[in-house]
Amino acid sequence: MPTRSTVILGTGSYAPARVLTNAELSTMVDTSDEWIRTRSGIRERRIAAPDEASSDLGVPAARRALEDAGLTPADIDLLIVATVTPDTPMPACACYIQHKLGIPTHAACFDLNAACSGFVYALDTACAMLESGRYRKALVIGVEKLSSIVDWQDRTTCVLFGDGAGAAVIGLGETPGVGLLGTRLGSFGEGTDLLCIPRGGSRAPSTAESIAARDHCIRMKGKEVFKLAVRCMDEAARDILEQHGIRADQISLVIPHQANLRIIEAISSYLELPMERFFVNVDRYGNTSAASIPLALDEARRTGRIKPGDLTLLVAFGAGLTYGSALIRW
Ligand code: COA
């Protein structure tokens, strides 16, 4: 067991200004507001401008988190960016953000890809690195410009995703029992083909033909992913509660990955926790992958849904198929 505890010192988020409504989407593909709302709970999503890269979304979220923590970029010696849409395949999005924010060169900066579970994975990584005593202050960002990898002709996926960013500043805590109490991460590698970008990697580099077929975009087997999402998130939530001897009804707020309102409702029913204890903003942002949990966490804090002493459960699921949970005492 680590002797040091880690705490969230501040959070921030940012969503691009452009709102894409279901009504507007239904002029682009054969869909309707009614279909999207009843199947997913999504009403609108944000779309980054063509010249806005993931780092441009991550920077304002990070600035807000630093301001909330009362710190400056000079205080950060560890930057982890969870994303599947870095500005470029190489170098890491973290390096662009480091440069734009002016984080010192002695800071460790890298990206982490655990898809929609990325923020929970990055949080766990940052906390372990802080607990090692080798780092003092971490900035963890979940950011996505999913509009850049969505197939805008595929109605089964393009209606679900959006762009955004969320960030958290993490430091070492002084009060025992307050901060990140634990995490439970997992991965179901058998499911790699259920949610993926088939081309553009080392297995099958993009060709003119594959690009014409839009195989560099997200492909998903929605029904299978839905079932596994519910199963894995329920397991991740139950396991961590059991590990810490905590009953579900002791959790003040669950911040689930915002993929689909029906998935969140299923978890609420499995855990026998009412929907009022779940933070939901999927209606306004759609699924923003690694950005979804930190964006929701920041909105929850800023709207007074989290108070000192509360227990919050983060629970995530994404391509991989990765999943994970984190338990935080404020
Ligand atoms: N508009 C209108 N009709 C659509 C549509 C759209 N945007 N997308 C699909 N359809 C059609 C399908 O073609 C299908 O038609 P058919 O019956 O004639 O073949 C019909 O609607 C029903 O499709 P189905 O796949 O059964 O819908 P569903 O109830 O499973 O909902 C999802 C589809 C994608 C919303 C749902 O499966 C889901 O949310 N899956 C999980 C996705 C997810 O969260 N992924 C990210 C995890 S991190």
Side-chain angles (χ1 to χ4, degrees):
M1 285 294 287
T3 50
R4 298 173 170 94
S5 67
T6 44
V7 289
I8 294 182
L9 300 170
T11 58
S13 59
Y14 174 79
R18 161 106 163 86
V19 175
L20 177 60
T21 63
N22 290 349
E24 193 180 345
L25 256 176
S26 62
T27 65
M28 298 159 59
V29 285
D30 181 13
T31 190
S32 66
D33 173 52
E34 200 266 336
W35 193 96
I36 302 170
R37 265 191 302 102
T38 53
R39 296 302 208 287
S40 70
I42 300 167
R43 291 171 184 274
E44 58 188 40
R45 69 288 294 143
R46 301 297 184 91
I47 302 295
D51 62 353
E52 246 179 334
S54 284
S55 65
D56 299 311
L57 309 183
V59 163
R63 284 213 173 98
R64 287 170 191 171
L66 285 164
E67 193 187 341
D68 188 33
L71 296 173
T72 71
D75 296 312
I76 300 300
D77 58 359
L78 172 62
L79 168 61
I80 308 180
V81 177
T83 187
V84 296
T85 49
D87 294 27
T88 51
M90 183 185 81
C93 190
C95 300
Y96 293 103
I97 292 180
Q98 175 196 20
H99 181 58
K100 287 178 185 180
L101 280 176
I103 289 174
T105 49
H106 67 256
C109 300
F110 62 95
D111 286 2
L112 182 154
N113 178 346
C116 304
S117 309
F119 183 78
V120 175
Y121 267 68
L123 183 67
D124 194 33
T125 306
C127 289
M129 290 175 76
L130 290 171
E131 283 160 9
S132 76
R134 297 204 297 278
Y135 301 88
R136 297 168 59 80
K137 294 281 184 308
L139 175 60
V140 177
I141 303 174
V143 58
E144 301 290 6
K145 184 179 177 181
L146 293 180
S147 59
S148 68
I149 56 165
V150 155
D151 178 352
W152 289 103
Q153 296 182 37
D154 176 9
R155 69 175 183 172
T156 68
T157 53
C158 76
V159 301
L160 301 173
F161 298 104
D163 302 335
V169 177
I170 324 283
L172 290 168
E174 279 152 22
T175 316
V178 170
L180 183 81
L181 303 187
T183 55
R184 156 78 167 88
L185 305 182
S187 174
F188 181 72
E190 274 171 61
T192 47
D193 291 340
L194 298 177
L195 177 52
C196 65
I197 296 175
R199 298 290 297 245
S202 60
R203 184 175 70 184
S206 287
T207 61
E209 293 73 29
S210 76
I211 288 171
R214 297 180 303 284
D215 283 342
H216 57 296
C217 296
I218 298 174
R219 297 279 179 254
M220 180 173 70
K221 297 198 171 92
K223 268 193 196 311
E224 287 95 322
V225 171
F226 189 103
K227 286 183 209 144
L228 284 162
V230 174
R231 207 175 84 194
C232 293
M233 285 167 83
D234 179 53
E235 183 187 306
R238 273 174 202 287
D239 280 1
I240 197 162
L241 291 177
E242 202 180 299
Q243 277 166 19
H244 293 269
I246 289 167
R247 295 187 317 275
D249 64 12
Q250 292 176 271
I251 301 292
S252 316
L253 191 66
V254 181
I255 301 184
H257 171 47
Q258 309 282 318
N260 184 318
L261 182 62
R262 290 190 298 143
I263 294 178
I264 299 173
E265 286 170 344
I267 295 164
S268 149
S269 138
Y270 282 21
L271 291 179
E272 297 182 40
L273 251 195
M275 277 300 284
E276 297 83 70
R277 301 264 190 108
F278 284 73
F279 189 85
V280 175
N281 64 7
V282 68
D283 51 324
R284 290 180 288 123
Y285 299 113
N287 180 347
T288 58
S289 189
S292 123
I293 287 184
L295 181 52
L297 175 63
D298 184 51
E299 288 198 341
R301 287 187 72 241
R302 285 173 196 266
T303 53
R305 298 280 305 269
I306 298 176
K307 300 193 173 53
D310 279 1
L311 263 181
T312 302
L313 174 67
L314 313 183
V315 57
F317 174 85
L321 301 165
T322 56
Y323 58 98
S325 56
L327 199 53
I328 300 164
R329 170 82 71 185
W330 297 90

